[in-house]
Amino acid sequence: MSAPHTDVEQVEAANTAFYEALERGDFEEVSSLWLTPTDLGVDEPYHDPADSGVISCVHPGWPVLTGRGEVLRSYALIMANTDYIQFFLTDVHVSVTGDTALVTCTENILSGGPAPEEGAELGPLVGQLVVATNVFRRTPSGWKLWSHHASPVLAETDEDGDDDQHVNGVDPDNGPLA
């Protein structure tokens, strides 16, 4: 077993690789970073996902997705419908216990969709603030994602303490909140 500080560094690297692959739209890399039954030493053709190691994912506003098929399909859909995405991770905290690691972070997301008119390069950029929990499992080939759960942050926009809040750090009238 590796030293605790080395485990933390390896988990941080796996977490960073996940977000970088999303930014590049590299579906194959994203797929390779998720846990498989084979990673757990389970014979995949005879594997019942409820028995061990089923992966799960919750995107903001989505229901729980379970199993590689559902989870990876969701990333394929997101990548197909997002022309630009960049993650600025803050408040990253890594905790490792045995063969399981927990990463909590704030995803400061900048994204853009398809251009609204022909000739334009990209649609308007939108900022989002999301908190995420990523659970990793140690495998013979390194740390793999077991679960990703992301939730939008409700951000107050009025200094006076008004109860007016905007979801995802975006004011529908004025765009991303600073």
Side-chain angles (χ1 to χ4, degrees), residues 5 7 9 11 20-21 24-25 49 56 59 69-70 81 84-86 90 103 127 131 144 154 157 159-160 164 167 177:
H5 68 279
D7 286 342
E9 291 169 359
V11 171
E20 288 176 350
R24 290 190 310 273
S56 65
H59 299 294
E70 280 190 23
N81 292 293
Y84 175 83
I85 192 163
Q86 189 171 8
T90 57
V103 178
V131 291
K144 300 282 186 93
L154 297 178
T157 60
E159 298 280 330
D160 299 330
D164 185 23
V167 177
L177 302 173

Side-chain angles (χ1 to χ4, degrees), residues 2 23 54 75 78 84 102 112 139 154:
S2 47
E23 287 178 346
V54 67
Y75 283 102
I78 290 168
Y84 175 83
L102 181 71
T139 72
L154 297 178

